[in-house]
């Protein structure tokens, strides 16, 4: 989150704007200005499509459906209703976004091929419906005589004026894309792409993010439709058929899925190729070349042209300042600083914080969790222990919302959780860490922890795009909080590293910092000692005591007794899905059933 | 026989004929999907390609059996090449990538067909002439009998080889549990190559037998892909039998809705049914918490 890359990107953006301004002046040929219009029109849709496919990772194969709504909306509103093009365009975009909201809510629950097919069938249904509704849409022949665009009564009669108008919208689209990319929303989308489980555990509503990007992307696609019809002056069902959807896919793949610029670059490549083939009188080669381009780029350069360019630029930059990246200092003495900021009410309070009652979950005939009930006292470290296969992880998943209940309940301060989604549970103040560490790979350590502040620092899409002061303030708050929790676990020196560069133990600490950044009332940890050596486990024990001292209640799901016995206030023992004992470490240690079932078998 | 009944039989027969083609496409998709987890968006393009290769052979005076063979071999080879060049290198990649790559291959095949055969639709004569036979007042092209017969033989051969041959058992093993299959010494790469080759051959076969009835052009493949998927997906993607049953159903529904509702309604009904099925499958009507697996990414 340093200032460097930002300034760089906004500089590129400024260069881009200047290039747009001088392009028609440099190339005064009608042909090139016309080609520029076609590129710009497509770029609006492809930049929006990158938000959906590249950022939200939702491959909606039939996205040109929304171009069709925009195109027909503008054409019909202008020719049949007689309203002005700008109002028609806006109205059509609103309709597209509403349709996207209605259709997206169910289909975005699908994954992979199912989503692709659902989106494709939506486009095909829309196409056939347009052909069928002949009295309104003109059927296969389409709508003729669409007027040229006019803004507040001034007609954009020349191609140059329309070029500027179209590229104004490209610039708006790119700016919106860049703002999202830089914002907490962009960070959240990258986090979701990296690990949905972890993203939802810090309170990110994945379904909502996907839907937002779908709606936004549909709005941009609709603009492309409207801008197209006022240029072609006609719309028919095949203008935005499946072929156009495929062109959009080729464009975003070739341009680069992971950056906003990829949308503009991709549209330029696709239209440029098409025009070049037309000029060289080889238009029939288009299919083969576009198809091959898609396949080759995906296999050889999955991040596209922009990604390849960034990789080269990064290598050059690194070569220039090679010695500066010295071996990272190893924080060998992890001594957590004070726990400033957490609820400073250490000590047992005698109040029940988390209550599990009669919880059951069976998989076929296997009763993984069978009528388990226990309570976690506020201010305590409570441990749920048991041998492998005792049902601990299922219990963890049930408590944290990743698994459904067959029967029974779980409540946090009396608030029932068993029907809630994981992100909703996180927002109520439950933080989690996972047995197999789930950090966000593409995010730096600091950004990982910033993601943890999501539940109290994230702003809505509208507020983010409008760059409201509140959104900026929250982003600063997020950095401050993240730095504090990194310091708490002793990982401040690694803030700009990527998680992949850290040792397993260090990754565990970052994950704990991210969990604490939620400012949770309870921290639920699934086998935090797994994969740690003895020294690291001992440090972890100190860290957990510090966390408790800072007023965070801890529920440990663990089978490592070295960790559990020394620090727990209360133990719950599970075996074969049932609770077999609970009490203080001393009581449990001497319980014959526990000895037989668990300790004795070690 | 009343005219009403005869025309009903007529529509059922023609629905069954297109249902057969969808069946062959759907079986190809199911074989590939269950053994490799890749949904091949290029599957319908093999139908188009098989038809065009058959038409070219017929034009050159090559007898029907060899035309069929040529169509099957061409598509099998292209299926194999597709697997080696575009599926094998990205095995285990994100589903998004695999889907997009097969889409790219589909675009490529369409483009190649456009380049070789041009825009005009092609046809070829029926294997036993272009005559019709009468069944309870309905007139069926004799070629339809070839379509039905071929499909039945192809389904029988598929089931027999899945159950009785070593390769078939390997395919089933990989579909059930790829990791375990590999641990047992099954070459999963080879199985992947095999299913794509078979899928190509099936598509080619479907294409060459249906072409005398429908004619074929460079852009007819998409429709078969989508209908094939619809059947494969609703059939559950694991069972060739169920996919075949759904495919026949789609053929019948299409034909009947085209006849009794309107010709334009058939596609809307088919795709509407798919959309509805997918939505229900996605859990639109389940409320509250849904389990999210650790490996369920996108």
């Amino acid at each position: 989150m340093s200032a460097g890359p930002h300034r760089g990107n906004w500089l590129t953006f400024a260069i881009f704007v200047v290039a747009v301004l001088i392009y028609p002046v440099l190339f005064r040929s009608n042909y090139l200005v016309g080609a520029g219009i076609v590129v710009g029109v497509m770029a609006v849709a492809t930049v929006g499509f990158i938000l959906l496919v590249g950022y939200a990772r939702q491959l909606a194969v039939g996205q040109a459906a929304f171009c069709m709504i925009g195109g027909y909306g503008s054409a019909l509103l202008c020719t049949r209703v007689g309203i002005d093009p700008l109002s028609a365009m806006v109205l059509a975009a609103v309709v597209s976004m509403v349709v996207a909201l209605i259709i997206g809510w169910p289909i975005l629950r699908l994954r992979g091929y199912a989503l692709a097919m659902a989106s494709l069938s939506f486009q095909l249904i829309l196409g056939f419906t347009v052909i069928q509704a002949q009295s309104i849409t003109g059927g296969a022949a389409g709508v003729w005589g669409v007027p040229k665009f006019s803004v507040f009564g001034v007609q954009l009669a020349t191609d140059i004026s329309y070029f500027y108008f179209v590229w104004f919208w490209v610039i708006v689209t790119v700016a919106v894309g860049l703002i999202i990319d830089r914002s907490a929303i962009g960070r959240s989308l990258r986090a979701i792409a990296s690990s949905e489980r972890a993203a939802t555990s810090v309170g990110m509503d994945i379904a909502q993010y996907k839907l937002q990007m779908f709606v936004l992307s549909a709005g941009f696609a609709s603009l492309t439709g409207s801008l197209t019809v006022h240029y072609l002056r006609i719309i028919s069902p095949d203008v935005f058929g499946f072929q156009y959807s495929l062109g959009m896919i080729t464009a975003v793949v070739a341009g680069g899925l992971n950056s906003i610029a990829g949308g503009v670059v991709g549209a330029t490549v696709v239209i440029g190729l098409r025009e070049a083939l037309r000029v060289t009188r080889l238009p029939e080669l288009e299919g083969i070349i576009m198809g091959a381009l898609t396949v080759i780029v995906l296999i050889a350069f999955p991040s596209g042209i922009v990604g390849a360019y960034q990789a080269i630029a990064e290598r050059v930059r690194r070569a220039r300042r090679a010695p500066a990246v010295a071996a990272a200092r190893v924080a060998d003495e992890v001594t957590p600083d004070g726990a400033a900021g957490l609820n400073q009410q250490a000590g047992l309070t005698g109040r029940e914080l988390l209550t599990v009652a009669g919880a059951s979950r069976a998989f076929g005939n296997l009763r993984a969790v069978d009528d388990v009930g226990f309570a976690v006292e506020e201010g305590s470290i409570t441990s749920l222990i048991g041998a492998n296969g005792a049902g601990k992880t299922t219990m963890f998943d049930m408590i944290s919302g990743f698994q459904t209940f067959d029967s029974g309940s779980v409540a946090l301060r009396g608030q029932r959780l068993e029907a809630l989604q994981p992100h909703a549970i996180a927002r109520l103040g439950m933080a989690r860490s996972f047995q197999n560490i789930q950090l966000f790979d593409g995010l730096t350590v600091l950004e990982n922890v910033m993601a943890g502040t999501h539940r109290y620092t994230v702003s809505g899409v509208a507020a983010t795009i409008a760059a409201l002061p509140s959104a900026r303030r929250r982003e600063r708050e997020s950095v401050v909080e993240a730095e504090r929790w990194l310091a708490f676990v002793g990982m401040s020196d690694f803030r700009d590293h990527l998680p992949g560069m850290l040792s397993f133990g260090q990754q565990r600490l970052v994950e704990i910092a991210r969990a604490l950044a939620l400012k949770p009332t309870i921290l639920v940890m699934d086998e935090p000692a797994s994969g740690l050596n003895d020294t690291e486990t001992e440090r972890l024990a100190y860290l957990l005591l510090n966390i408790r001292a800072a007023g965070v209640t801890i529920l440990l799901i663990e089978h490592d007794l070295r960790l559990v016995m020394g620090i727990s206030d209360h133990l719950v023992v599970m075996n074969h899905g049932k609770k077999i004992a609970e009490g203080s470490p001393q009581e449990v240690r001497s319980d014959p059933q526990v000895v037989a079932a668990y300790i004795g078998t070690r | 026989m009343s005219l009403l009944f005869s025309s009903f039989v007529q529509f059922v027969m023609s629905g069954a004929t297109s249902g057969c083609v969808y069946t062959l496409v759907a079986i190809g998709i199911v074989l590939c999907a269950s053994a490799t987890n890749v949904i091949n968006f290029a599957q319908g393009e093999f139908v188009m390609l098989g038809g065009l290769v058959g038409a070219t052979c017929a034009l050159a005076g090559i007898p029907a059996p060899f035309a069929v063979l040529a169509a099957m071999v061409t598509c099998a080879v292209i299926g194999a090449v597709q697997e080696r060049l575009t599926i094998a290198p990205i095995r285990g990649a994100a589903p998004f990538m695999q889907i997009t790559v097969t889409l790219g291959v589909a675009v490529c095949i369409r483009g190649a067909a456009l380049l070789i055969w041009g825009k005009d639709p092609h046809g070829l004569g029926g294997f036993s002439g272009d005559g019709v036979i009468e069944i309870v007042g309905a007139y069926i092209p004799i070629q339809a009998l070839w379509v039905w017969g071929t499909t039945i033989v192809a389904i029988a051969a598929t089931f027999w080889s899945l159950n009785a041959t070593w390769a078939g058992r390997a395919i089933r093993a990989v579909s059930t549990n790829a990791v375990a299959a590999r641990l047992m010494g099954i070459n999963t790469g080879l199985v992947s190559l095999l299913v794509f080759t078979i899928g190509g051959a099936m598509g080619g076969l479907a294409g060459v037998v249906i072409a005398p009835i429908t004619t074929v052009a460079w852009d007819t493949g998409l429709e078969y892909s989508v209908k094939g998927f619809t059947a494969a997906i609703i059939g559950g993607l694991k069972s060739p039998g169920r996919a075949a049953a759904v495919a026949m159903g789609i053929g019948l529904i299409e034909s009947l809705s085209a006849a009794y509702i309107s010709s334009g309604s058939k596609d809307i009904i088919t795709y509407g049914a798919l959309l509805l099925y997918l939505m229900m499958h996605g859990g639109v009507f389940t409320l509250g918490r849904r389990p999210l697996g650790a490996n369920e990414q996108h």
Side-chain angles (χ1 to χ4, degrees), chain A residues 182-188 202-204 209 426-427 446-461 463-464 468-485 514 516-519:
Chain A
R182 308 260 164 287
S183 69
I185 296 171
R187 187 169 57 239
S188 304
V202 295
M204 293 173 183
Y209 275 119
R427 288 178 187 181
L446 181 71
E447 287 170 328
N448 262 281
V449 183
M450 285 170 76
T453 68
H454 183 275
R455 77 178 175 118
Y456 53 89
T457 62
V458 79
S459 308
V461 172
T464 304
L468 293 183
S470 66
R472 290 156 178 265
R473 181 160 21 84
R474 287 187 185 145
E475 187 69 1
R476 280 196 300 274
E477 185 190 346
S478 176
V479 176
V480 171
E481 284 296 325
E483 285 178 333
R484 190 164 76 190
W485 297 113
R514 182 182 68 195
L516 291 173
L518 269 85
K519 295 188 187 164

Side-chain angles (χ1 to χ4, degrees), chain A residues 21-43:
Chain A
L21 288 175
I22 62 172
Y23 175 86
V25 184
L26 275 180
F27 305 99
R28 315 194 112 241
S29 93
N30 287 337
Y31 172 72
L32 286 177
V33 171
I37 292 176
V38 179
V39 170
V41 164
M42 188 184 205

Side-chain angles (χ1 to χ4, degrees), chain A residues 53 56-59 61 103 105-107 109-122 124-125 128-129 132 192-197 200 206 210 242-243 246 249 253 257 283-292 294-295 298-299 302 361 397-405 410 417-422 425 436 438, chain B residues 37 39 41 45 85-87 89-90 94-115 218-219 222-223 225-227 229-230 233 236-237 262-265 267-298:
Chain A
V53 181
R57 299 290 171 95
Q58 301 302 301
L59 181 65
V61 170
I103 193 90
W105 182 73
I107 74 171
R109 294 169 178 229
L110 302 166
R111 284 158 182 279
Y113 67 85
L115 171 66
M117 283 307 297
S119 157
L120 176 58
S121 36
F122 170 64
L124 293 173
I125 291 170
F128 286 118
T129 310
Q132 289 295 297
I192 292 166
S194 169
S195 166
E196 295 201 350
R197 207 172 152 86
T200 181
I206 296 173
K210 288 175 180 171
F242 185 52
Q243 209 66 29
L246 288 176
I249 293 174
V253 166
L257 284 165
E284 60 273 17
L285 280 179
E286 187 186 319
I288 292 194
I289 293 182
M290 293 294 177
T294 312
V295 173
L298 265 179
I299 294 177
R361 179 76 173 107
D397 281 349
M398 289 166 78
I399 293 171
S400 43
F402 296 114
Q403 191 54 264
T404 50
F405 277 67
V410 54
L417 305 180
E418 65 271 12
L420 295 181
Q421 302 263 30
I425 296 175
N436 48 344
Q438 305 253 340
Chain B
N37 279 325
I39 302 283
F41 267 70
E45 307 304 332
L85 290 185
T86 70
I87 305 294
I90 53 164
F96 153 77
M97 240 178 105
Q98 297 177 328
I99 295 169
T100 318
V101 163
T102 66
L103 264 174
V105 171
V107 173
C108 239
I109 297 178
R110 286 157 72 95
L114 178 63
L115 196 61
W218 70 282
D219 59 351
L222 174 70
E223 190 189 339
S225 288
V226 181
K227 303 275 164 70
F229 291 139
T230 308
I233 291 173
L237 271 182
S262 78
S263 67
S265 69
D267 295 299
I268 298 180
I269 289 175
T270 312
Y271 300 134
L274 173 64
L275 195 56
L276 199 66
Y277 171 81
L278 287 172
M279 287 179 181
M280 287 165 60
H281 191 69
V284 177
F285 304 111
T286 40
L287 294 171
R289 198 185 261 199
R290 282 180 302 277
L292 172 76
N295 299 323
E296 264 189 54
Q297 286 283 315
H298 318 294

